Amino acid sequence: RRVHGGNIFISFTGMSSGPRVLVLGGAGFVGRNLVKYLVDNQLASFIRVVDKAMVAISFFSAAHQAAFESPIVQFVQADLARPAGVDKAFATPDGAKFDFVINLTTESKFGQEEEAYQKRVLDVATLCGPKAAQHGVSKFIEVSHAGVYEPKSVCFFAFFLLFS
């Protein structure tokens, strides 16, 4: 199967039982919808969702809650801005590796001090990217939004023009 995500195609063919997927920041809006999509379409054999926020206090709909209760979904609470949290996210008792890591962590509250974005976005990617490589992950997918670009940058305007 091929899943279209914007201009990116991710191929799940050639994996007899489906890929093992690690979703970082998966309790947020995009993450919960991604997990539901993967479960509903039987696109993964195992999905681990890691988030600092607990599912019980994340205001899930009944459909999202059902997806997270699937036997192929495992939720792990961890702070991915800390090395111990990253170790917890990637640890598997059987030594199995993840095929895909999708980083959806973000800081969605605008107007905070730069240190908040540093800790919740850059530090997480800086810790998780090398850990994914160390664990032999096939694909590390970093998802972000236009808020990471300076308002006067070419990237910001390109994003704005594409999506406005």
Side-chain angles (χ1 to χ4, degrees):
R1 289 186 177 170
R2 290 176 66 113
V3 178
H4 182 264
N7 293 327
I8 301 170
F9 284 94
I10 303 169
S11 177
F12 293 127
T13 57
M15 297 181 189
S16 59
S17 60
R20 294 173 51 88
V21 181
L22 175 58
V23 182
L24 308 175
F29 177 78
V30 175
R32 69 182 72 179
N33 284 289
L34 173 63
V35 170
K36 182 180 180 313
Y37 184 84
L38 293 172
V39 170
D40 289 351
N41 292 285
Q42 301 175 5
L43 294 173
S45 61
F46 177 74
I47 304 164
R48 176 178 289 163
V49 180
V50 182
D51 204 300
K52 187 170 51 176
M54 294 177 10
V55 172
I57 60 170
S58 294
F59 304 105
F60 277 24
S61 70
H64 292 116
Q65 186 65 42
F68 273 66
E69 291 171 357
S70 166
I72 67 164
V73 176
Q74 176 190 56
F75 179 79
V76 174
Q77 184 185 20
D79 183 351
L80 295 167
R82 299 175 182 269
V86 176
D87 289 342
K88 187 176 177 182
F90 283 86
T92 57
D94 59 358
K97 71 176 188 120
F98 292 100
D99 299 295
F100 297 96
V101 174
I102 304 170
N103 184 9
L104 302 171
T105 60
T106 188
E107 177 50 66
S108 57
K109 297 177 192 122
F110 293 103
Q112 296 199 28
E113 296 294 322
E114 188 172 330
E115 292 78 29
Y117 302 107
Q118 169 84 30
K119 179 179 180 184
R120 296 185 188 110
V121 180
L122 184 60
D123 289 355
V124 171
T126 302
L127 289 170
C128 292
K131 184 63 79 171
Q134 177 187 344
H135 281 265
V137 171
S138 301
K139 301 287 182 203
F140 185 94
I141 302 165
E142 181 74 26
V143 179
S144 191
H145 56 79
V148 301
Y149 301 113
E150 291 292 328
K152 295 181 181 180
S153 75
V154 172
C155 291
F156 178 82
F157 284 118
F159 184 88
F160 180 77
L161 291 173
L162 285 171
F163 297 101
S164 61

